Amino acid sequence: MNANTPTDVMFSFTGLATRAEEHKDGFGIAFFEGCGLRLFVDHHSARVSPVAELVKHYPIKSDNVIAHIRKATQGVVSLENTHPFVRELWGRYWVFAHNGDLKGFAPVLHGAFRPVGRTDSELAFCWLMQELAKAHASVPSVEELTATLSELVPRLAAHGTFNMLLSNGQALWAHGTTRLHYLERKHPFGPAHLQDEDVRVDFAAETTARDRVAVIATEPLTRDEPWIAFAPGELKVFVDGQLLVRSETGRLTHA
């Protein structure tokens, strides 16, 4: 989730946690609070994890959130292999989560970014951080980061399925290889029903006219909102709850 103001994420997290019957090999959620970051992970399913119950009762309000439910393809079911993963670069936290399976990906890591666990996902994250650090001598803009990521991400996707979310607290980048959808909530807000649970929220009663929220998920979390599918190989960036797109001049502007 990416928003223009700290926003409650529990409605979406409830819908995501319901899908942990198949993706039962761990869950995690990371959310930014200013320059700080809170991270909760557990290698147990979100359906039974006491950590998930804690999260459901924690008053999470954030403008950038990444949550993940794991179905292990590489690496055993363990805490160190549980997404999201976190690293520091340029004095900011970076958070990454990945659905997919990368084959034959064995990069040379020669910098400060090394995986703790044994997943292809964390390895890909460390490589991305290494290459971003090499590409920019100082803190880049969101536009510059997006341009660099648009060159790096296809090199990862060439090894298999690479559906990923990445955030540094300023923006949220999302790449889809197979299945990924996004939704922008904005004024006028209305009610929404979860796809997998009998839970309903009237966002009109919870928001102001200036609020904007973008939600990205593998499959739509609600059944009565206009979700849009990513095209295969598409990289999108969201800032302040809005999708940014390249203009005719090549600059990023709000869609």
Side-chain angles (χ1 to χ4, degrees), residues 88-162:
E88 177 275 331
L89 177 60
W90 300 307
R92 298 194 70 96
Y93 289 114
W94 288 74
V95 179
F96 172 90
H98 165 232
N99 280 342
D101 192 12
L102 303 179
K103 300 296 188 184
F105 180 62
V108 175
L109 298 179
H110 47 74
F113 304 103
R114 303 295 176 98
V116 176
R118 295 190 173 276
T119 64
D120 54 327
S121 304
E122 190 184 15
L123 182 61
F125 181 34
C126 289
W127 181 80
L128 270 179
M129 292 292 95
Q130 172 180 280
E131 298 305 303
L132 285 175
K134 286 164 55 178
H136 300 281
S138 59
V139 181
S141 66
V142 169
E143 186 171 33
E144 291 170 325
L145 285 166
T146 303
T148 304
L149 285 169
S150 68
E151 296 176 0
L152 296 175
V153 167
R155 294 166 64 180
L156 289 164
H159 290 272
T161 305
F162 192 66

Side-chain angles (χ1 to χ4, degrees), residues 10-85:
M10 281 302 95
F11 178 68
S12 295
F13 180 75
T14 299
L16 180 71
T18 302
R19 298 178 175 177
E21 185 170 350
E22 180 182 359
H23 292 249
K24 63 183 185 302
D25 300 324
F27 92 96
I29 183 169
F31 53 100
F32 288 86
E33 293 183 5
C35 292
L37 179 78
R38 296 188 190 271
L39 174 68
F40 297 91
V41 293
D42 193 352
H43 60 288
H44 297 104
S45 167
R47 280 179 168 265
V48 300
S49 168
V51 179
E53 285 303 308
L54 182 155
V55 170
K56 288 177 183 178
H57 293 90
Y58 190 92
I60 295 176
K61 280 189 176 262
S62 175
D63 47 15
N64 279 285
V65 180
I66 291 182
H68 183 268
I69 50 175
R70 184 181 183 221
K71 183 179 180 181
T73 55
Q74 296 185 39
V76 299
V77 177
S78 63
L79 193 60
E80 66 268 23
N81 288 332
T82 305
H83 312 221
F85 301 107

Side-chain angles (χ1 to χ4, degrees), residues 179-190:
R179 297 193 311 277
L180 210 60
H181 295 76
Y182 77 96
L183 164 74
E184 290 187 53
R185 291 191 183 116
K186 57 186 177 181
H187 182 77
F189 294 91

Side-chain angles (χ1 to χ4, degrees), residues 209-230:
R210 66 171 296 275
D211 292 346
R212 296 186 71 103
V213 180
V215 184
I216 300 92
T218 302
E219 296 290 352
L221 292 170
T222 55
R223 60 175 182 261
D224 46 9
E225 295 184 286
W227 291 83
I228 300 172
F230 278 57

